[in-house]
Amino acid sequence: MATARGLRHLLTCSRWRRGRGEAPQSRALAAVVPGVSQVDNNSDFLGKRPHRRHPGILHLPCVEVPPALAAAAQSLLLESSMPNVEKQVQALTNYLWSRRLPVEPEELQRRAVHLEEKFLENPDLLQVEEKLREAVLRALRKTTYHWQELSYHESLSLVYMAARLDGGFAAVSRAFHEIRARVPEFQPQTLMDFGSGTGSVTWAAHSAWGQSLREYMCVDSSAAMLVLAEKLLKGGSESGEPYVPGVFFRRFLPVSPKVQFDVVVSAFSLSELPSKADRTELVQTLWRKTSHFLILVENGTKAGHCLLMDARDLVLKCPHELPCPQLTASKPLACSFSQAYHCIPFSWNKKKQKEEKFSMVILARGSPEEANRWPRITQPVLKRPRHVHCHLCCPDGHMQHAVITARQHGRDLYRCARVSSWGDLLPVITPSESELPLSPAEDPLGVDKEA
């Protein structure tokens, strides 16, 4: 496990490296949320770039799976001749999106004891141990979410491919784009994908870094999924030449602790594990296998967000990485991203484009560099006449609803805010609390300073 100094958390901290070590120009302070905090707007942050390409822009235009992958997926589905594919795809999509976390054994035991005590208080109930146990089990089944592990056999793997191949490709493409945009000099040579499924991570990584990557390790417990992923790489056949060279398939993680990869990815896999203990063990193992970047992606739901925050806290374990303000709010929200993508033209896809909503965490090894700390936009930007609404996750651990105007905040920042999107960084610097001490009476939002 790396120390706090050895980590650079790209997603939550929203850090940005200084450009070429130039001295900052004059700065103008402007209150984004009066009485809560101020932003330090560096008037030189644009350089010679236009506003629509300001250095906080991270969103990715509408992505499309490689034509070879789309053609292979269509061919395999056509050959399978599965009945009612559209209904199966819709049912699986709904199930995966509505899936919640499995109840932990300790919590299940606590509920069982509570129900038993409640039944024992009823004098009319015949207190026979066997009948009492049956009553408790019946009540638990009615009141407890039934989490079930999915077994991806051949037909279910094909349904998953039809349902999730293009959306999964879009989500991991956005994660890779984040790294490329913020660390352009990074050129990975090896990648491991845990829970590789249909292999969308391999295709997205190849699209992002091309010939730089020489080895891909795909790990999945389902033999059927591995076979399907290999067929997709070979154009839908078992004997063709792989579209991406250097891809290896395994059912288990490499045992040797010395084996590391430049990039390690786990996309939509933590939610497939039955307990927190299993997830903890996996995250620790994946971090040990990481030499540069660990990328974790889940559905953009509260359950998916909670999984990622647990994993983040497990890896970081240091005081300067603050709790996610979305979870510490009075009404916790899921922190998510949205990525547009072109749908694979299956017969049931009436829309040409869709939006993939997902949560992600990117963790990096190495010493933190001196950085401009810019807040991240966490919701769609609302553009109104002469003002812009931005919901920001700030490096001081607080959420802010900022109303940006040209008159109050300057023309450059106002125009940058208007062209920014969900997931971008707003190029402003929030002074630390030591520079702007606030008493509880001065804080109209009632933000918890202990967070």
Side-chain angles (χ1 to χ4, degrees):
M1 187 70 67
T3 63
R5 294 179 179 176
L7 295 172
R8 182 178 58 214
H9 185 218
L10 291 185
L11 180 62
T12 306
C13 287
S14 300
R15 293 176 176 172
W16 187 265
R17 297 172 296 111
R18 292 190 186 276
R20 302 183 181 180
E22 298 166 343
Q25 303 296 319
S26 61
R27 296 168 181 255
L29 288 175
V32 169
V33 181
V36 177
S37 68
Q38 292 178 312
V39 293
D40 194 0
N41 181 14
N42 183 348
S43 60
D44 191 42
F45 67 87
L46 275 173
K48 296 182 179 180
R49 279 176 284 197
H51 296 91
R52 66 180 181 276
R53 295 181 183 174
H54 72 76
I57 293 288
L58 293 174
H59 69 265
L60 185 62
C62 189
V63 301
E64 185 174 8
V65 299
L69 177 57
Q74 289 176 288
S75 174
L76 286 171
L77 202 61
L78 191 62
E79 290 175 6
S80 68
S81 301
M82 284 195 306
N84 302 319
V85 178
E86 182 177 356
K87 289 184 178 180
Q88 293 186 62
V89 166
Q90 190 61 51
L92 181 61
T93 301
N94 293 341
Y95 175 76
L96 293 175
W97 186 253
S98 62
R99 208 176 191 192
R100 288 183 279 168
L101 300 183
V103 179
E104 294 297 316
E106 297 82 4
E107 174 63 16
L108 198 61
Q109 180 67 25
R110 187 193 66 78
R111 294 184 186 181
V113 171
H114 175 72
L115 287 170
E116 184 175 330
E117 293 174 349
K118 187 176 180 181
F119 288 143
L120 288 173
E121 292 174 359
N122 186 354
D124 298 329
L125 184 65
L126 181 63
Q127 306 304 335
V128 179
E129 184 176 351
E130 186 175 345
K131 289 186 176 181
L132 181 61
R133 188 184 304 113
E134 291 177 358
V136 169
L137 288 175
R138 281 197 303 271
L140 280 175
R141 292 190 189 101
K142 291 180 180 179
T143 59
T144 304
Y145 174 72
H146 180 58
W147 185 91
Q148 191 172 6
E149 185 176 0
L150 290 174
S151 177
Y152 287 100
H153 45 73
E154 184 177 352
S155 59
L156 186 57
S157 297
L158 280 169
V159 174
Y160 185 87
M161 175 198 74
R164 297 292 303 131
L165 181 59
D166 42 13
F169 177 88
V172 294
S173 293
R174 173 63 179 80
F176 293 151
H177 176 73
E178 180 98 8
I179 296 175
R180 292 184 64 208
R182 302 181 70 175
V183 194
E185 68 275 12
F186 177 63
Q187 293 293 313
Q189 296 185 11
T190 58
L191 177 144
M192 184 181 76
D193 178 16
F194 177 82
S196 54
T198 57
S200 58
V201 169
T202 294
W203 290 84
H206 182 74
S207 299
W209 287 294
Q211 300 304 316
S212 168
L213 278 165
R214 299 183 300 183
E215 179 184 344
Y216 305 78
M217 179 71 71
C218 297
V219 182
D220 200 291
S221 59
S222 168
M225 275 291 196
L226 294 178
V227 170
L228 176 60
E230 190 169 8
K231 284 183 179 180
L232 287 170
L233 275 177
K234 296 180 178 180
S237 69
E238 296 180 356
S239 56
E241 278 294 315
Y243 182 84
V244 180
V247 182
F248 303 93
F249 299 93
R250 298 183 54 151
R251 293 191 65 183
F252 305 99
L253 286 165
V255 176
S256 174
K258 296 181 180 180
V259 178
Q260 284 191 321
F261 300 85
D262 294 334
V263 179
V264 176
V265 183
S266 173
F268 310 103
S269 298
L270 290 176
S271 54
E272 296 292 334
L273 298 179
S275 69
K276 187 173 182 179
D278 292 320
R279 294 192 293 271
T280 297
E281 182 180 359
L282 174 64
V283 171
Q284 290 174 334
T285 301
L286 294 181
W287 182 242
R288 287 195 297 267
K289 299 292 183 187
T290 302
S291 60
H292 287 85
F293 289 100
L294 171 61
I295 302 169
L296 305 175
V297 181
E298 288 294 335
N299 285 336
T301 60
K302 288 184 180 180
H305 181 216
C306 287
L307 284 177
L308 296 186
M309 291 303 97
D310 286 345
R312 168 187 175 271
D313 293 343
L314 180 67
V315 173
L316 292 177
K317 284 190 178 294
C318 56
H320 66 279
E321 303 292 0
L322 300 169
C324 174
Q326 296 279 47
L327 291 182
T328 56
S330 57
K331 294 182 179 180
L333 300 172
C335 184
S336 61
F337 293 81
S338 181
Q339 177 60 51
Y341 65 93
H342 292 284
C343 305
I344 297 176
F346 294 121
S347 60
W348 61 84
N349 274 339
K350 309 303 179 186
K351 295 181 179 179
K352 292 184 178 180
Q353 292 187 14
K354 289 184 180 179
E355 295 277 338
E356 176 72 7
K357 188 179 178 183
F358 63 98
S359 294
M360 72 173 178
V361 162
I362 302 175
L363 297 164
R365 289 193 185 274
S367 300
E369 301 175 10
E370 185 181 6
N372 286 332
R373 301 182 61 168
W374 293 348
R376 187 180 293 273
I377 301 172
T378 61
Q379 295 182 27
V381 174
L382 301 179
K383 303 171 187 176
R384 298 292 182 263
R386 296 187 294 278
H387 68 280
V388 182
H389 292 263
C390 295
H391 294 267
L392 306 174
C393 179
C394 299
D396 61 0
H398 299 147
M399 300 296 298
Q400 287 190 2
H401 175 195
V403 181
I404 310 293
T405 67
R407 182 177 181 179
Q408 188 176 9
H409 304 99
R411 176 177 171 271
D412 284 339
L413 181 58
Y414 170 68
R415 293 190 63 184
C416 284
R418 286 195 76 88
V419 299
S420 296
S421 301
W422 185 0
D424 289 341
L425 305 178
L426 193 64
V428 295
I429 302 173
T430 306
S432 66
E433 291 181 13
S434 61
E435 296 168 339
L436 283 171
L438 295 173
S439 66
E442 294 174 316
D443 186 355
L445 297 186
V447 180
D448 182 6
K449 296 302 183 295
E450 297 300 322

